[in-house]
Structure formats: C-alpha cells, structure tokens
C-alpha cells in the first residue's frame, strides 16, 4: 500500500472512531504537520470544525464548547510551540473537569531532538495536567494497527469523560508527504457505529454510610447544604428536595445553577457572602452538620466561616472518584458517589422535619441582607461594578447564559446575582481561576447557548483579545460587558493596597486602552455607557441585533472599594440588629 | 522573627544574589501570590523591571531582551495558569539556547491539590523544556536557609548560562501575609558581591582531532564552511580567517551574522538558496568536506543538497556540549569545543592555499545568482514580498537590528538579504520556528538595540498583538513591517496548495483584519503602503520619529508564488549557462 493510502486509512479510522465515540466538535489551528488530520476532519460527514489561529484561544474556545454542551471536544494543532500554547486551557480543563481530546501532530522519531524545524519534545508535553497521554504509532495499514487506532480513539474519549472528567493528549508522529486521499471519501466504507462501546457505572452510595448519616440528620436541626460549582443538568431538583426534607437552607454559589431556575427559591440562600462578613455572630449561625456538593464556593467569608468551625461534621459528596476539593481541610467524611443518587437515597430515609426555626433564621437574614443590598445599590446613580450585575440580570432574557470573568466579576456576581426564575445558566473558568482565555471560552459556549452575556474585567478582556477573531469569523452572537476600571481592581481589596509606593505600577497596572478600536477591527458593535439608561438600552440593543457587542462600563477602582465597604457596613448593621434581638 | 521579616529577608537575599550573579532585567506579570517577590524586585537598587500583563507576551519579551543583551533575564508571575502561559517562550528558549530564569510564585504545600483557588501543580510544570527545576523552601530565617537561597540564585543563573544556554525554573511556595517590609530598604546591609562566583571553562578542541583535521584540510580543495544561527559577538572574524586560509567559501545563513558587517564579503556566499534549487549540477558543486557551525540554516535547498551528498566528510563544531543539531543525519564527526578556539587552532596549523578554482566557482555562481535576483526584483513594480527585504535593507541605518518573523519572512530574508557593510544584526526565533511571540521578542530586543525593524507576516503579527502593549507602556521605538497577504502564504508552496477543496479554510485562513484599528489602540503610527516610494518614505519617517510604527505591505499570496517561481527559473538558467560552460 502506498504511503498516502496508509496515512489516509489509518487516520480516517481514528477520526471515524472519535466521531463514533461522541466527539461532535473539533477546533483546528492551521499548520503543516497536522495537514492530513485537518483535511480528514474537514471531510468527515458528521464533525463540525472551527478554525482558530491562536492556539491559546483555540483551546479555551474548545473548553467553552465542552462546558456548554457537556460533551467532549477535540483540538488539533501542528508541531512545535503551537502545542505549548494549549497549556493554560489544558490546566484549566484538568482542574475544572472539562473533557478535551487534544491531538498534536509531531515530527516522526527520526526528526526529533536533532535541530529539525518546529520539532520540540512533545512526549508528555502537558505533564500531569492531562489524564492520559499516548504517543501514537507511525501510520501503518494492517488489522492490528487499525484495531489499535480505533481502540485508542474510543479510550481517549472515554477517559476524558470518566469522572472527574478532563483533558487527554494524543501525539501523532507523521511523515511526509502529508496529503491524504479524500476522493473518493475515505469514510464511505467505514462503520459509523463504535467498534467498542464504553459505559461507565455510576457510583452508588455505601448503604451503611447512608443509614448512619440519615440517623444523624434526622436528629440534627442545624444543618447547611453548601453548593459550589455544579453543572449537572438534573441535580438541582434532587438537592432542593433534600433541603426540603431536612429543613436545611442551601448556601448556593452562583455556579451551582441553583440561583436561577424553574423551582422554588425558598431554600436558596444567595446572600451568605454579605451575611458572613460579620463574624461576631458565628455561634448563632454555626451548623452542626454541613453537606457540601461541588467545588469550593467563591465566597471568601463563607470559606473563612467554615474554616473557623469546630465540632461541625462536614460531609463532602462527589462523583469524581479521588477528587479532594477541601482547601480548608475541614472534611470529616468524603463520600464518593453520584450526587443525585446520594440525595435521592437520603430523601427516602428521612421524613420531612417540622421544626424550622433554624431555616427561618437563615431565610430572614437572607431577606434583610438582600433588601439592604438592593436598597444601597438602588441609591447609587453613578456607574458601579456591583450594580452592573443587578442591571444586567434585569436586561437578560430567559434561558440565557451568563459567562463570568474571574477576579472581581465572579465576586460581584456572587454578591448581586439574586435568586430568579429566568433559568440563567452561569458559567466561569473556576478550575484555576485564571483571567486568561475567558473571551474564547465564552465564545465557544455561545456557539451552543445563545443568547450569551460575558461579564468581564478590562485586564481579562485584554488578555484574550485574540479570542475575538472567532466572533468575526463565525459571526457569533455575544454581548460582552467590560467593566473597565483600568487595571487590577481586586488588588485594592488586598493588603498591598496600603503600600502606596509601588501599588499602581505593580498591581494597579492601568493600560489606558481605548477598546473601541480593537472592537472595530473585529467588526463588533461597541458602546461605552455613561449612565444606567445607556446601559439598559445597550443591553436591549445587543439582544435585538446579532453579532458581537461590546458594552464598556467605565468604573473607578478606589470608588468601588468605598461603595462596597459602605454597603457591607449597612448589611452588618441590619444583621446585627436582627441577631441581637431575641427572635431566635 | 515575625513572618514578614522572615519573608523579606529570605526573598531579598535571593533577589540580591540574582543581581550579583548577573541578572539585570526582570519581566513581571502582575498577580497576588507573587507580591513579595515583585515588590522586592521593584525595590532593588540595580534591577530594571518591566510589567507585561499577558504572561505569554511577557516571556517572549524577556527572551528578546536576553537575545539582544546576550545576558540572562528573569521572569516573575503569580500562581495558576499565569505560569502555563510562559510555556511557548520557554520551549523556544530551550531550543534556541537563550538563558532565562523563570520564577513562579505558588501556593504553599497545605493549599495544593485540594481545590484552592489559583493552585495548579507547578512542580516540573515545564517538564524537560527547562534545564533545571527547583522547588524552593518555604521562607525561613536562619543561616542555613540564607545560604540555600543565595546558592540557589547563583546556580540558577549559572545553569541558565552554561552552554548550551537555556531556561531554568524556580517555584516559590509563599504563605500569607504576602507583604514584605521595604522601609528601611532590605538591601541596605546586603553585600552586592556574589557569595559564590561561578566560572565555566571553555571547551578546548582535542589536539589529536585538530592535527588529523588540519592534515586532511591541507589536501582538500573542495570544502565548504556552512554557518547557521550564530550569535557570538567575536566569532565572525575567526570564521572568515579560517575561510581565507582554507580557500573555502562560507555559505552564511542570515542569522550567522556573517552577511552584514565590517569585514570582507569575498568569502561570503549569500545566494546558495537560489543556486541549489537547481539540483542537476550537484556533482560539480559537491564538496569533499563540510565544516558546519551553528544551528541548521534556514534554506531547504541547502538542506536537501547536504542530505543528498555521499562521501562528503561532515564536521559539526559546537560549543554546546551534547547538542546534536543534525536533522539530515550526515555528521561524520561531532566536535564539541569553543568555535572560535577551533578556528584559531586550525588557522595556526594550515597555510594559506593558492589554488582557488573551487572558491572562484562559488563566488562566480553567487554573483550571477545575486545579480539575476536583483534584476528580476528590480523589474517588479507592484508590491512583492521578496522585494520588501531589498527595499528595507536600503532604508535601514547602520548598526540597526532586523528581527525576522518565521514562516515566509525568514525565507525571504534568506533569499534577499545580501552581503552589506551596514552591520545589521539579524535575529529570529529559530529554536522552534513558531509564529507566536515574535512581536514581543522584537520589542524586548528593541529595548537594548535601537533602531529595530521587525519584518513579520500578518498571521504572526496577529498571534502576538497583545505584545504591542509593551510598546505603548514603555514608549518603545520599533518599526514593524507587516507583510499582509491575508493568511498563510507558506502553504502555497506546500503540496496542499494543489488540493483546492479545503485549502482556503484550513490553510489560507484569511482573517481580513484591518490592523490600523489595533495599532491606533496602542498609540502607534500606522501606514499602509501602495507602492515602493510610499514604502521608502514610511521607513524614513519611522527612523526619524520615535515610537511604534507599523507599516503594512499588502501582497497577494498567489501572485507571490508566481513571481518567486519565475525568478528561480531565471536564476536556474543563468546557473545552468555558467556550469554547462567549460570554465570549470
């Protein structure tokens, strides 16, 4: 068999099997060594593919698609530093548990480590940041190798999906000539059914543990359910049912998908960040039991509150076997099992509780805190970072997606995104919490979840400006709200803000960039708002017309700190007033 | 000792020793965990520091400084994906042998792998792409630890510099609070002399090898000296002296620094790429001996020519012990020693040769090839990628730096950058030949080598647009010539160009970006030239005024291939005419 036939058959079988195993989308960065894979992906009758020239953005774009679709996405690039540019998104995907199948083309063995162009050491390029690495064989055409290549495709997808999900890396050494044969289609006689199907069992909760636990919870009034990042589509109902049975409030992070939806918000506490800033009432708020689901919530006051507790039994439930998301080191039991099964099992074993004093206290605190926040924010006429969230939620249609940047935006969303029934899905890159790649992740998510709104700070927006090329190339519909405080606002909340000497240069880092220019380069619509009417009109206009919309909200870093501090003070006073009373 | 005192003393000692060991420049990306290191670097009386928000650009910026100054540069970033963004530049630095000292701040051990924010696994983050990795200790204040931290700083710099030079990585776990004490200066009572000085010996050539070699060369008329990337400041004279003694022509890559300088160009062959495209005269051009210095030259015809030779003795001389830069696998002897010592030793052992028939042939071929190229190019009125190089060299002042992008620009420079006495230093990222990070590398180089001209393609310019922020922040002076053929021109020279079906989407990848907008955002001067007069005026204007200048030269990918092919045909005819004659 001639070289091109071998190349074509071997790689086409691989790609067919990727598709059979559930890959629907591939993000390709152009290059030479990857030519046969790129052409065969483009030729495949079922695969969608997207070109993204900057590999760093490409990988975050794939991550966004995978998050939104909850399905694995493949990535393809050529050899050399191209592959190294994937690294930040791969690190994020590993920690955030997002399934990616990373394909890198490589020089064959005889061109490695001898100064050949674009040849770098790609073996284990991503170290421990991928779940699985395989060096593929040089293409050969025989049954053994066809089985190898098909099985490897299946395994790669299955390992990426296995909880905790994450990225896998396959490296393809390829020899010239690199052109496959695409006429007639290499897929015509390939089976579109998997050569091997892979099913993963669900982790059942241990029966003895569940019996002990249900006994304990029956007799425990003061319990809290705490939910961090959770993105399973059906888990929410089970958690709410459990809360109702146990009479426990749910402290729900915005990424838990419990702050917006078609369910009762009675048990949802969305203002704990404000409530727990005041630490002097810890004894009254102290739970005897915590049931925790998902990653660690964003809120620092909540984290410090949990960390300060002694004698509280702390159960962490998660389906990602071996995960250990407990930076406060307070877990007393790690329960590895499917979270929904856990809730359902527990619900069967306990009866609805009657005494709800504890629940009322949390609900009441939540209500006074929320109304104080809304009232304080309502009084603000100038543009303010926190108020952007309230105003944005007002303007967002039902069933939309809110992608949130790291650093300040996610904290503001935590504070100001209150329970509502708009069914807004909230996403963020909370694996490693980087400010990099956020634009691309949101654009990837927008492909399968319109309308999509991205709330992002100016430094994070700057970091991934290249991501905007995808919006232009694929006419994506997205509204990006850039909170422009001209630099790193979060540092004003940290101790270095009192060290004036180097502050602006090292931490404030104002860039003074007029983003309208770059938005114009990407054919986007740009508006800089001057007041809240402007803001609402811009949001409305962006929903009505397609394409890329960038709405810049200029704010002031120092002013923002002042406003926040004043608000927290007012909330504390209200909390204080209530908790000092003898209503409890 | 309180935490802050310990933190300050430990880290200040480290930074003092970095400076003592020869670090002069540090590129810092803002972040929280790196606060104490950043503040102490800013406080240091001798260190220069530059803020670069996008860590990918920051690392390439540091690489550019290190290349231009031929001194190690330090990098600092915070924990998390920030550090992963350094990867492409680190990979490039390793292969291109550029000394970098990479400092990453990290969460301490008790916050690792348990879901803490911005905590990723940073141990061996860059795998085998750094020469040395060390996990630093948690700051402690005692003599043993002070010795440790000083020695480690010294070693890090020394390993980065040891040939073959390259990047090293130190990971710093740091606990809160992260603020050091800067009043009074922690450097006041620290010694500014190294606690340990490190000197590396020079590799002396083996005497027996030199004797054998000199005997052989005395009796060998047909020899070629082939020079790839070489950037030692004093090596050029030694190589030219050797060529004169041996009567061997020097096939000099543009990155060998042998195509421009204050020395005779008689021995410099700068048109071998054109000459060797025609393969039918291989027998007449075949050398009996090749002496090769530096990395593999850019020219593909030269590479194929060398690869096709049998019975040619092929000596590779290099000072980077253990390097193996021979993708054609034709080396018959690897001689590890200081290249200048090698040349000098050999010169002592041989007498100047008289018979120069072989040399004349190469000189003559070079002259007819060069004049044909110049004549062909002279006839072109429309904008053309090759002609840009000729026109640019015309306009460049003496002692300037030319930074060259990968893919097509470096190939065009190879063809059209002819020997001259302007002392132009030519640089490119030819470790992994990536199109990424080139803008930042050039900007870093511009800091210590004005005037600097960057010749770059539109995709590579796009890839590192973020790099331009440094030009704005530090008012850097640079002239960027963007060859805008709207996509990937190089693919038109590759076999996939005949596969029309997916070509434009997968390989041509036109972006249709109007770069004037983004240049405006970075306060740059922008001009799009319409003809060669425009071009010369723009170059002149850029030399006269300070700041960022972007000169866009719109070209046509398909037209460019035509023009090149016609020119090569003409050169081949002239070469053919000469070699068919019996002058030889």
């Amino acid at each position: 068999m001639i070289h091109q036939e071998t190349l074509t058959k071997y790689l086409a079988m691989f790609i067919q099997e990727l598709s059979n195993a559930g890959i629907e989308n591939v993000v390709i960065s152009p290059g030479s060594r990857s030519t046969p894979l790129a052409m065969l992906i483009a030729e495949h009758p079922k695969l969608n593919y997207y070109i993204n020239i900057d590999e760093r953005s490409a990988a975050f774009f794939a991550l966004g698609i995978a998050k939104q679709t909850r399905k694995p996405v493949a990535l393809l690039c050529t050899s050399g530093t191209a592959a190294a540019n994937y690294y930040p998104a791969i690190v994020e995907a590993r920690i955030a548990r997002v399934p990616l199948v990373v394909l890198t083309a490589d020089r064959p063995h005889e061109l490695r480590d001898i100064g050949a162009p674009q040849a770098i050491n790609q073996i284990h390029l991503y170290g421990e940041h991928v779940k699985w690495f395989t060096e593929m064989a040089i293409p050969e055409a025989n049954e053994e190798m066809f089985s190898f290549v098909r099985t490897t495709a299946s395994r790669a997808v299955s390992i990426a999906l296995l909880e905790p999900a994450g990225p896998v890396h396959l490296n393809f050494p390829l020899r010239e000539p690199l052109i496959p044969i695409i006429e007639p289609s290499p897929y015509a006689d390939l089976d579109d059914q998997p050569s091997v199907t892979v099913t993963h069992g669900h982790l059942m909760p241990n029966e003895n543990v569940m019996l002990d636990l249900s006994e304990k919870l029956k007799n425990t009034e003061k319990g809290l359910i705490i939910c961090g990042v959770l993105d399973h589509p059906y888990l929410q109902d089970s958690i709410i049912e459990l809360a109702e049975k146990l009479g426990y409030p749910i402290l729900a992070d915005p990424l838990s998908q419990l702050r917006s939806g078609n369910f009762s918000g009675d048990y949802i506490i969305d203002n704990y960040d404000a409530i727990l800033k005041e630490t002097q009432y810890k004894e009254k708020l102290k739970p005897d039991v915590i049931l925790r689901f998902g990653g660690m919530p964003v809120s620092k006051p909540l984290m410090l509150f949990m960390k300060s507790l002694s004698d509280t039994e702390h159960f962490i439930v998660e389906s990602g076997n071996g995960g250990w998301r407990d930076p406060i080191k307070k877990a007393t039991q790690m329960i590895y099992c499917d979270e929904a099964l856990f809730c359902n099992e527990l619900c069967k074993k306990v009866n609805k509780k009657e005494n709800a004093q504890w629940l009322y206290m949390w609900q009441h605190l939540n209500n006074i805190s929320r109304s104080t926040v809304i009232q304080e924010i309502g009084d603000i006429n100038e543009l303010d970072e926190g108020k952007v969230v309230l105003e944005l939620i007002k303007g967002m249609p039902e069933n939309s997606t809110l992608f949130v940047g790291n650093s300040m935006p996610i904290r503001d969303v935590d504070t100001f995104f209150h329970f509502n029934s708009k069914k807004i899905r909230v996403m963020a890159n909370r694996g490693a919490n980087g400010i990099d790649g956020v634009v691309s992740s949101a654009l990837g998510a927008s492909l399968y979840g319109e309308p999509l709104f991205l709330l992002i700070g100016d430094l994070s927006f700057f970091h991934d400006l290249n991501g905007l090329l995808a919006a232009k190339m694929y006419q994506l519909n997205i509204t990006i709200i850039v909170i422009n405080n001209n630099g790193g606002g979060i540092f004003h909340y940290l101790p270095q803000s009192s060290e004036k000497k180097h502050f602006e240069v090292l931490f404030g880092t104002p860039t003074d960039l007029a983003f309208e220019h770059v938005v114009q380069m990407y054919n986007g619509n740009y508006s800089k708002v001057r007041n809240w009417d402007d803001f609402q009109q811009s949001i409305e206009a962006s929903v009505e017309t397609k394409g890329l919309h960038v709405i810049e909200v200029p704010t002031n870093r120092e002013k923002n700190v002042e406003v926040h501090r004043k608000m927290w003070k007012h909330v504390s006073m209200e909390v204080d007033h209530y908790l000092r009373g003898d209503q409890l």
Side-chain angles (χ1 to χ4, degrees), chain A:
Chain A
M1 204 181 273
I2 64 159
H3 171 85
Q4 275 183 283
E5 281 174 43
T6 303
L7 180 78
T8 304
K9 202 143 187 193
Y10 177 92
L11 295 179
M13 284 212 179
F14 175 80
I15 287 160
Q16 180 62 53
E17 201 67 21
L18 273 192
S19 165
N20 295 349
I23 296 285
E24 294 169 7
N25 293 290
V26 188
V27 181
I28 301 177
S29 297
S32 172
R33 190 60 48 172
S34 50
T35 295
L37 282 160
M39 288 178 69
L40 287 167
I41 288 163
E43 270 298 308
H44 193 276
K46 283 192 186 164
L47 291 172
N48 307 311
Y49 69 96
Y50 302 93
I51 301 294
N52 207 316
I53 289 168
D54 180 339
E55 294 83 6
R56 180 173 68 176
S57 299
F60 276 110
F61 189 73
L63 180 98
I65 299 174
K67 281 177 102 120
Q68 181 73 274
T69 60
R70 300 188 182 95
K71 288 178 184 169
V73 174
L75 272 163
L76 172 67
C77 72
T78 191
S79 66
T81 49
N85 278 279
Y86 282 168
Y87 209 14
I90 286 175
V91 169
E92 171 64 21
R94 182 67 197 266
I95 308 181
R97 307 182 173 185
V98 181
L100 296 178
V101 177
V102 180
L103 315 175
T104 55
D106 197 359
R107 305 258 149 171
H109 310 72
E110 63 275 19
L111 288 175
R112 293 178 180 175
D113 201 15
I114 45 173
Q118 281 184 286
I120 73 169
N121 183 352
Q122 296 181 190
I123 306 294
H124 288 290
L125 183 64
Y126 309 116
E128 300 192 12
H129 299 274
V130 287
K131 294 177 69 182
W132 195 52
F133 166 78
T134 287
E135 163 81 345
M136 298 301 286
I138 294 283
E140 280 185 69
N142 58 54
E143 283 308 316
E144 174 80 10
M145 296 313 284
F146 294 155
S147 299
F148 162 68
V149 86
R150 275 196 301 248
T151 311
T152 307
S154 258
R155 283 183 73 182
V157 175
S158 111
I159 295 172
L161 279 170
L162 182 66
E163 289 200 57
V168 298
H169 174 209
L170 307 182
N171 191 51
F172 281 84
L174 297 170
R175 291 195 180 121
E176 295 180 8
L178 297 163
I179 311 297
I181 299 162
I182 56 172
E183 298 281 352
S185 167
Y187 299 109
D189 54 357
L190 291 187
D191 200 343
D192 67 354
Q193 296 304 310
S195 64
V196 48
T197 62
V198 185
T199 48
H200 299 139
H202 285 276
L203 290 179
M204 293 289 295
N206 179 298
E207 183 62 20
N208 290 335
V209 168
M210 296 307 280
L211 281 172
D212 287 355
L213 184 58
S214 57
E215 281 309 309
K216 183 183 308 288
L217 299 184
K218 274 178 202 165
N219 303 311
T220 307
E221 186 202 354
K222 295 182 177 181
L224 289 177
I225 295 174
I226 295 179
C227 295
V229 184
L230 277 181
D231 201 29
H232 303 279
Y234 307 112
L235 183 53
Q236 280 61 34
D237 291 342
S238 304
I239 290 178
I240 288 168
E241 198 196 333
L242 181 63
E244 285 170 354
K245 274 277 176 84
L246 295 170
Y248 292 173
I250 305 173
L251 277 51
D253 186 86
L255 298 170
S256 69
Q257 316 307 334
L258 279 159
R259 287 207 197 166
S260 183
N262 208 359
F263 44 77
S264 154
D266 291 350
Y267 287 79
I268 305 298
I269 307 297
D270 51 15
N271 263 264
Y272 52 84
D273 184 77
I275 298 167
L276 296 170
K277 276 212 163 62
E278 185 51 72
T279 55
Q280 61 171 309
Y281 297 104
K282 204 185 81 182
E283 280 309 312
K284 287 189 179 168
L285 301 176
K286 179 181 178 297
D288 294 317
V289 163
I290 287 175
L291 294 179
R292 196 147 72 71
F293 299 90
M296 196 67 185
V298 168
S299 168
K300 194 164 183 178
L302 173 59
M303 188 271 282
L304 294 173
F305 172 70
M306 288 195 283
K307 198 171 174 180
S308 74
L309 301 173
S310 44
D311 311 321
T312 294
E313 286 204 86
H314 195 126
F315 299 84
I316 296 181
V317 185
E318 75 155 293
S319 55
N321 229 342
W324 201 281
R325 294 184 292 192
D326 183 33
I328 54 175
K329 294 167 282 288
K330 281 289 178 179
T332 51
Q333 279 198 46
M334 299 290 296
I335 303 178
Y336 292 114
C337 68
D338 183 285
E339 292 100 340
L341 289 178
F342 173 90
C343 294
N344 302 345
E345 281 298 302
L346 211 50
C347 281
K348 280 186 218 154
K349 291 185 167 60
V350 293
N351 297 318
K352 194 163 163 55
K353 285 199 200 141
E354 293 311 317
N355 182 354
Q357 198 63 35
W358 166 255
L359 176 65
Y360 295 157
M361 177 188 72
W362 276 96
Q363 286 171 331
H364 194 85
L365 279 173
N366 200 53
N367 289 338
I368 58 177
S369 169
R370 189 196 285 167
S371 42
T372 310
V373 165
I374 291 174
Q375 185 196 319
E376 284 279 323
I377 284 287
D379 291 348
I380 299 171
N381 288 320
E382 61 263 53
L383 294 173
D384 169 84
E385 301 185 12
K387 189 165 182 170
V388 167
V389 179
L390 283 174
E391 294 290 318
L392 174 59
I393 306 303
K394 250 194 241 169
M396 279 174 73
E398 290 215 348
N399 292 307
S400 34
T401 301
L402 174 61
F403 208 106
V404 190
N406 282 318
S407 199
M408 284 313 291
I410 188 69
R411 290 178 170 81
D412 285 329
V413 166
D414 193 15
T415 306
F416 300 103
F417 183 75
H418 300 143
F419 183 79
N420 61 71
S421 57
K422 283 190 166 182
K423 289 180 273 176
I424 293 171
R425 187 161 169 206
V426 188
M427 285 196 248
N429 287 347
R430 292 303 285 182
N433 303 355
I435 63 164
D436 47 345
V438 176
V439 172
S440 293
S441 301
L443 284 165
S446 81
L447 264 176
Y448 294 90
E450 290 178 21
L452 187 139
F453 298 78
L454 167 62
L455 182 69
I456 189 169
D458 57 304
L459 289 186
S460 187
F461 183 60
F462 162 76
H463 211 291
D464 191 21
L465 280 178
N466 273 6
L468 293 175
L469 181 58
K472 176 174 172 293
M473 281 178 73
Y474 295 102
Q475 287 99 51
L476 301 181
N477 304 314
I478 189 170
T479 301
I480 303 180
I481 298 102
V482 180
I483 312 280
N484 193 349
N485 58 22
N486 199 18
I490 200 166
F491 294 110
H492 289 265
Y493 292 87
L494 298 177
Q496 49 262 60
S497 62
S498 57
E499 295 286 344
K500 297 293 173 218
K501 190 167 174 195
H502 301 288
F503 186 78
E504 273 301 290
V505 175
L506 290 180
F507 305 104
T509 62
T511 62
D512 298 310
L513 292 176
F515 290 122
E516 59 260 49
H517 298 300
V518 75
V519 174
Q520 205 178 339
M521 184 171 79
Y522 294 112
N523 298 352
N525 301 288
Y526 168 86
S527 52
K528 184 186 264 183
V529 304
R530 289 155 305 173
N531 54 49
W532 296 114
D533 285 343
D534 261 16
F535 182 77
Q536 280 305 340
Q537 279 161 25
S538 299
I539 294 288
E540 270 171 44
S542 81
V543 174
E544 280 159 21
T545 55
K546 296 271 175 186
L548 165 66
H549 295 265
V550 176
I551 301 172
E552 187 176 331
V553 182
T555 63
N556 178 291
R557 284 183 260 135
E558 291 180 354
K559 178 83 190 160
N560 194 57
V561 176
E562 262 176 53
V563 168
H564 273 68
R565 295 226 162 107
K566 177 165 167 284
M567 187 177 64
W568 303 140
K569 205 171 156 192
H570 196 165
V571 171
S572 290
M573 279 169 56
E574 295 295 327
V575 169
D576 186 81
H577 180 74
Y578 172 67
L579 288 179
R580 260 187 211 282
D582 262 341
Q583 297 99 319
L584 302 182

